[in-house]
Amino acid sequence: MMKHTSLLTWLIVTISSLVFAAETSHHVAFTRQQQQTLGVRTATLQAVEQYTLFNAPAVVEVPPSNETIINSPQAGFAQQLLVSEGESVTQGQLLAIINSPDLLSLQNDYLQAYSQLQLAENAFQRDRKLYDDGIISRRRWQQTQTRQLALQSSLQQTLALLEIAGFGSADINRLQHKRQLDSQLKIVAPIAGVILERNVDIGQKVERLDPLFHLADLKQLWLNIRVPQEQVDKLLAGDQVTSLDQHMTASVTLIHRGVDRNDQTVLVRAAIIQGGELLRVGQQLAISLMRKADGDLYRIPLSAIVRHQGQSYIFEQATQGFQVRPIELVSQQDSDAVITGDLNPSTHYATASVVAIKAAWLGLGGNE
């Protein structure tokens, strides 16, 4: 205890001997020798174009509009699988073949509806002429019209089911003319992208609407960022996001209005601008949320800043000591701070032993 008291007494005496007299209330007089004795070091300010608001965890996601689940349009079994998870595919590429007995029934229903409609149309043309000639009754003509409309509707319904099953115009024409039934259901990619999941194995039985593939276009990716609600008010749409390894950049596009009930975080979404090709869907990242400088901002070691009566200050190197400069603390990250104020970036500022300078500025016994 006596040792610590003696050291404190020595520090007070030393500082007292170094302080000459303040020329103004914001000037502290120090000679170069005195600065060396106290270990005062100085450095210039570093101008910054953007600064860190805070760090947060993020997960790489695919925009919902860029992904699709490919379902089996009919029941059957997986006869052939042509792609695996992780493979890139083009739009219209064949992914799998499902052998479906139900597809045979659907084609047969279509051919029957097609044949019945042809007969009904012949009857429609015949009865229209007969009605115009006054040979048949109005009721008979109305029945013929009603039957033709019903068969048209039935054919369109069956045609729609075939189209869902992957039948194109060429397949329909071939079915009408050759009347050959095919049990093979061809599953093709509706968009270009990457197979994220394959939910079927060769020979597996599948039911109607069972998911077969999860396909996504990875040209555009999102970051879903979880931000503590006490920090989210610092953010603005357009703020920048970067990974800690600097390989990825993104821009904030959404700040959710809701708060997660479990962890009291807010969802912030950012669209990846650069480096998305290096990322994987579901990957967790440590990111920094950044903001572009609006005005003159400077980076300085946090050790250079002192506080007095609620105001922050730094000490600017002057001819015979230091000039006290009030500053505004914009951001603080680890051992650095971003500040603004009436500052000269080409002038040196004290970065070490600033406590001694502060003591001299306030005077011994000054109220801190």
Side-chain angles (χ1 to χ4, degrees):
M1 182 69 179
M2 291 296 295
K3 182 178 180 181
H4 290 167
T5 304
S6 300
L7 181 61
L8 179 60
T9 303
W10 175 84
L11 179 59
I12 292 174
V13 172
T14 300
I15 293 176
S16 179
S17 66
L18 292 174
V19 178
F20 293 146
E23 297 175 3
T24 71
S25 60
H26 290 294
H27 183 271
V28 187
F30 273 90
T31 66
R32 296 290 183 183
Q33 181 60 43
Q34 292 163 346
Q35 294 178 42
Q36 291 178 4
T37 302
L38 285 176
V40 176
R41 294 193 297 274
T42 63
T44 57
L45 300 176
Q46 297 179 12
V48 296
E49 295 183 357
Q50 63 179 9
Y51 58 94
T52 301
L53 296 170
F54 52 85
N55 296 332
V59 178
V60 180
E61 301 285 354
V62 181
S65 60
N66 288 7
E67 60 181 337
T68 183
I69 300 295
I70 304 173
N71 305 95
S72 177
Q74 297 293 330
F77 67 90
Q79 177 177 323
Q80 191 173 4
L81 298 175
L82 302 174
V83 293
S84 299
E85 288 186 3
E87 287 189 32
S88 296
V89 298
T90 58
Q91 185 176 13
Q93 180 176 335
L94 184 62
L95 306 180
I97 296 177
I98 305 296
N99 195 307
S100 173
D102 290 351
L103 184 61
L104 295 175
S105 298
L106 188 59
Q107 293 170 83
N108 186 61
D109 292 343
Y110 176 82
L111 289 176
Q112 288 185 12
Y114 179 73
S115 297
Q116 290 175 358
L117 180 59
Q118 285 183 316
L119 293 174
E121 287 179 344
N122 291 334
F124 178 87
Q125 298 297 333
R126 182 191 68 239
D127 285 3
R128 181 171 63 179
K129 186 176 186 308
L130 293 175
Y131 177 72
D132 291 341
D133 293 340
I135 299 175
I136 62 174
S137 67
R138 180 179 182 84
R139 182 179 179 182
R140 162 87 176 267
W141 169 233
Q142 288 177 338
Q143 289 176 340
T144 302
Q145 288 178 305
T146 302
R147 175 173 171 76
Q148 190 226 23
L149 291 173
L151 289 172
Q152 280 182 341
S153 178
S154 177
L155 182 67
Q156 289 301 319
Q157 180 181 357
T158 312
L159 176 61
L161 292 174
L162 282 175
E163 290 175 343
I164 293 175
F167 273 54
S169 299
D171 298 316
I172 299 297
N173 289 331
R174 184 167 53 253
L175 178 62
Q176 289 175 355
H177 292 92
K178 294 186 177 181
R179 294 182 175 268
Q180 293 179 349
L181 306 184
D182 187 357
S183 64
Q184 290 189 338
L185 191 62
K186 296 178 176 60
I187 308 298
V188 299
I191 62 173
V194 174
I195 303 294
L196 297 183
E197 294 179 70
R198 194 192 73 188
N199 305 110
V200 62
D201 293 321
I202 191 75
Q204 179 180 332
K205 187 179 186 303
V206 295
E207 299 297 335
R208 185 171 180 267
L209 299 182
D210 275 357
L212 303 177
F213 301 96
H214 181 188
L215 176 62
D217 180 357
L218 304 185
K219 292 180 181 178
Q220 175 63 69
L221 295 174
W222 283 350
L223 292 178
N224 282 349
I225 308 166
R226 306 306 307 192
V227 177
Q229 63 168 334
E230 60 271 14
Q231 290 184 303
V232 77
D233 288 341
K234 300 177 184 178
L235 287 176
L236 297 172
D239 283 341
Q240 300 299 297
V241 180
T242 182
S243 57
L244 297 187
D245 59 12
Q246 302 294 313
H247 290 155
M248 181 279 306
T249 57
S251 178
V252 173
T253 58
L254 173 77
I255 302 173
H256 202 306
R257 295 293 300 275
V259 178
D260 189 286
R261 296 179 184 273
N262 297 319
D263 58 13
Q264 292 297 292
T265 60
V266 177
L267 171 65
V268 174
R269 181 174 297 139
I272 295 176
I273 300 171
Q274 185 178 5
E277 68 279 1
L278 303 175
L279 303 177
R280 291 174 173 81
V281 178
Q283 181 179 351
Q284 296 184 350
L285 297 175
I287 57 93
S288 293
L289 287 139
M290 316 285 290
R291 178 164 299 161
K292 289 185 178 180
D294 183 12
D296 294 330
L297 298 182
Y298 306 98
R299 180 173 288 108
I300 196 170
L302 195 59
S303 60
I305 300 174
V306 298
R307 291 189 61 82
H308 176 58
Q309 296 181 347
Q311 173 66 54
S312 298
Y313 299 90
I314 60 175
F315 298 108
E316 179 186 286
Q317 181 79 68
T319 304
Q320 296 183 355
F322 294 94
Q323 192 74 20
V324 182
R325 295 290 186 193
I327 55 99
E328 179 183 347
L329 184 62
V330 176
S331 172
Q332 176 181 332
Q333 191 71 26
D334 298 329
S335 60
D336 287 339
V338 174
I339 63 173
T340 187
D342 184 15
L343 305 170
N344 185 348
S346 61
T347 302
H348 282 70
Y349 293 83
T351 58
S353 297
V354 296
V355 174
I357 304 174
K358 178 182 178 182
W361 169 43
L362 298 177
L364 294 178
N367 181 19
E368 300 186 16

